[in-house]
């Protein structure tokens, strides 16, 4: 924190795979509002109306869902945002495409969305003048967005070489050129030195700030578990070392949660404690604190006992019969958090590679 001002916390539902059930999402909005979060951004990769089918108008049922999200978020004291990923829009930046984009912005704002996360991530970016093209698109969005805030997720949102390997080599000085072309009030998402960053130190954030000409809004891919490897794990503890970033280096901190909406409450609660009132607590103390606020107290000892196993060993590290035994123990509790553990142990949240092509 800086001068007693907490770092603004955001929840960004930005993972691959099945989105959270609507009822669970709304319940989580109510909780994080109580915990002091600033806002929530709805941006699941599986919502085609925001990605592969972004050009079409929202259907009536989609309007109703987004309006309910927005109204629930607002009633919970949260700012509501939507992540729009106009897939490869720079490949056909014509007048027709521009009109589709402007219409989509009006559509989303009419649903009650005040914060737009314009997401150029996970798209091929090895094209000439990418930063200039994206800055032109962002200028149009800035002009026509009726909400109060605009956040950008660049195509290359980390220094991780995996992005170049998958999406092509970034143009030289891409981040610097893009940031130079953006208004100062536009925030930029950044995930850290890696797509999934274990450690992020202050010196690194200061370096990125210098490159951007503004403080980054950290998109932390913790505790998300939507990949082939990470889906075999549950991350119930607070991320290590994040308290060192909560003293003014960031424009905000957005946590990308797990596929399990109830279990995500545990690390999200611990994160709020780190920012608001318990920054010096150990990860074990923060886990205890979060469990007291989230789960059936009778099941809490089981979570404490197995949290490290789930995070480090994961499903593949359990010996024969162990998953069934632990799942049976969790299944004895009539608690949605314990039920999600039992379902995960039974393989119900298995990674499906098809989610990457939605």
């Amino acid at each position: 924190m800086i001068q007693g001002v907490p770092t603004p916390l955001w929840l960004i539902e930005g993972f691959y795979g099945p989105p959270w059930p609507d009822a669970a999402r709304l319940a989580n909005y109510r909780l994080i509002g109580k915990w002091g979060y600033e806002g929530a951004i709805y941006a699941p990769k599986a919502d085609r109306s925001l990605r592969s089918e972004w050009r079409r108008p929202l259907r009536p049922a989609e309007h109703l869902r987004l309006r309910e999200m927005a109204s629930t978020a607002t009633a919970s004291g949260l700012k509501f945002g939507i992540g729009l990923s106009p897939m490869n829009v720079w490949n056909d930046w014509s007048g027709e495409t521009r009109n589709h984009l402007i219409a989509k912005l009006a559509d989303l704002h009419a649903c009650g969305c005040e914060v737009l996360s314009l997401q150029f991530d996970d798209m091929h970016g090895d094209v000439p003048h990418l930063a200039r093209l994206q800055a032109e698109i962002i200028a149009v969005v800035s002009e026509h967005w009726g909400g109060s805030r605009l956040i950008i997720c660049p195509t290359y949102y980390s220094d991780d070489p995996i992005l170049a390997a998958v999406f092509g080599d970034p143009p030289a000085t891409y981040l610097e050129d893009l940031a130079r072309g953006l208004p100062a009030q536009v925030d930029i998402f950044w995930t850290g030195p890696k797509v999934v960053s274990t450690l992020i130190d202050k010196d690194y954030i200061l370096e990125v700030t210098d490159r951007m000409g503004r403080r980054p809004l950290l998109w932390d891919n913790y505790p998300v578990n939507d990949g082939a490897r990470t889906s075999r794990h549950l991350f119930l503890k607070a991320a290590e070392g994040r308290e060192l970033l909560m003293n003014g280096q960031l424009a905000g901190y957005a946590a990308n949660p797990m596929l399990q909406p109830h279990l995500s409450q545990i690390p999200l609660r611990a994160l709020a404690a780190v920012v608001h009132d318990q920054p010096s607590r150990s990860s074990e103390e923060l886990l205890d604190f979060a469990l007291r606020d989230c789960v059936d107290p009778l099941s809490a000892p089981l979570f404490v006992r197995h949290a490290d196993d789930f995070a480090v060993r994961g499903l593949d590290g359990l010996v024969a019969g162990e998953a069934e035994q632990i799942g049976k123990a969790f299944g004895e509790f009539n608690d949605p958090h314990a039920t999600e553990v039992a379902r995960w142990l039974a393989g119900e949240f298995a990674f499906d590679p098809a989610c990457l092509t939605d």
Side-chain angles (χ1 to χ4, degrees), residues 45 116 273:
K45 298 294 195 286
L116 179 70

Side-chain angles (χ1 to χ4, degrees), residues 198-214:
T198 303
L199 296 175
I200 308 172
D201 62 41
K202 290 195 289 187
D203 288 342
Y204 175 79
I205 292 297
L206 292 174
E207 175 196 332
V208 173
T209 299
D210 185 60
R211 292 164 61 190
M212 287 184 178
R214 71 201 74 199

Side-chain angles (χ1 to χ4, degrees), residues 54-200:
W54 70 269
R55 294 171 187 262
R56 66 166 174 81
L58 293 172
R59 299 179 178 121
E62 293 167 336
H63 264 286
L64 288 174
R65 287 184 69 242
L66 292 178
R67 284 184 191 136
E68 185 175 20
M69 291 180 212
S71 62
T72 301
T74 300
S76 303
L78 301 171
K79 298 173 184 175
F80 179 64
I82 292 179
L84 175 64
S85 299
M87 298 298 291
N88 300 315
V89 62
W90 48 85
N91 291 337
D92 178 28
W93 186 231
S94 62
E96 182 180 8
T97 300
R98 173 188 171 120
N99 291 338
H100 279 303
L101 185 55
I102 293 171
K104 192 71 170 202
L105 298 175
D107 218 2
L108 294 175
H109 188 242
C111 294
C113 174
E114 282 298 316
V115 178
L116 179 70
S117 176
L118 185 66
Q119 299 179 182
F120 294 144
D121 58 312
D122 298 352
M123 306 180 199
H124 283 279
D126 52 347
V127 299
H129 312 297
L130 179 66
R132 177 177 58 79
L133 286 169
Q134 291 182 345
E136 290 178 8
I137 296 165
I138 293 165
V140 170
V141 172
S142 297
E143 179 183 356
H144 292 277
W145 176 239
S148 59
R149 188 172 184 181
L150 176 61
I151 307 169
I152 303 301
C153 184
T155 302
Y156 300 93
Y157 49 85
S158 167
D159 293 314
D160 196 330
I162 189 64
L163 294 179
V166 176
F167 301 109
D169 291 330
T173 65
Y174 162 74
L175 178 64
E176 293 83 349
D177 293 343
L178 177 63
R180 196 178 304 116
L182 302 185
Q185 68 271 20
V186 174
D187 289 304
I188 302 176
F189 273 130
W190 194 254
T191 66
K194 298 289 185 180
V195 172
V196 181
S197 297
T198 303
L199 296 175
I200 308 172

